[in-house]
Amino acid sequence: MKYKILISILTLFSLGKIQAQEQGKEKNLYVKGNALFLPIGIVNAGVEYQLSKKYTLQGDIFISPWKSFGGHELQYYSASVEGRYYFDEAFKHWYVGANLAVSSFVLQKWNYWNSTTYTNANNEKFIKSNLYQKGYSVLLGVTAGYQFKLAENWNMDVYAAIGTSQDFYKGYDRTSGKRYDAANGYNKSGEILPYRGGIMISYKIK
């Protein structure tokens, strides 16, 4: 039921509110980049387009190309679409939104950052710090944020999102190259977690 509600909200943002656009009012468009991740070589960029006085639609990508970051795999590629409702007006002050994202990853989960022993269903033993996961996710969540003007045509957008992540992955041992999870096909897991956020610097191009 929660998925149907969020999907319905996204549909409302992207389709229904286009018809509510005030006649003759300019539709603004901002390009944006996440200043929080750039110093560590991760790209998070997007565009936000005004649909009506209080509604916008944002699309963005997230690219983390690190085969090894601090000794851990951190390749993560995602794309998302988000509908936003501003309580004041578009691109100004507090807003809430609904987000849908898909991702592909090769990474090591945080709880594998130790040298304890992992024993699978076949009683095979592995060192956790040698294990990583490869797969994809579908994410659905809600966003809250605050956007304000920095200078002419420049905004800052501070935001965070939380939601459900449905993950499909295979686990591998870095040393031997074999699967450690003793499974056929993909493992499946689902969890509620904060999955996006940061500080976007936005520039108005329209």
Side-chain angles (χ1 to χ4, degrees), residues 33 84 106 140 161 194 200:
R84 293 179 170 184
V106 180
L140 199 60
M200 287 279 196

Side-chain angles (χ1 to χ4, degrees), residues 32 45-49 57-61 79-82 196:
K32 48 179 54 182
V47 295
E48 185 176 2
Y49 180 65
L57 185 67
Q58 175 169 300
D60 65 82
I61 58 171
S80 76
V81 61
E82 180 171 282
R196 62 196 304 271

Side-chain angles (χ1 to χ4, degrees), residues 78-152:
S78 74
S80 76
V81 61
E82 180 171 282
R84 293 179 170 184
Y85 171 77
Y86 286 81
F87 295 100
D88 192 341
E89 60 182 75
F91 310 108
K92 187 175 181 180
H93 302 153
W94 292 105
Y95 64 84
V96 293
N99 180 269
L100 174 65
V102 292
S103 71
S104 174
F105 59 83
V106 180
L107 55 79
Q108 186 180 59
K109 293 183 178 180
W110 66 268
N111 55 331
Y112 284 74
W113 295 3
N114 60 72
S115 296
T116 59
T117 300
Y118 174 88
T119 304
N120 66 18
N122 295 333
N123 206 35
E124 297 175 298
K125 297 183 184 300
F126 300 88
I127 303 300
K128 274 193 172 183
S129 58
N130 288 333
L131 308 181
Y132 67 93
Q133 297 76 39
K134 180 179 181 179
Y136 64 95
S137 301
V138 178
L139 306 103
L140 199 60
V142 293
T143 300
Y146 187 84
Q147 188 166 171
F148 59 95
K149 187 174 182 178
L150 291 175
E152 186 68 26

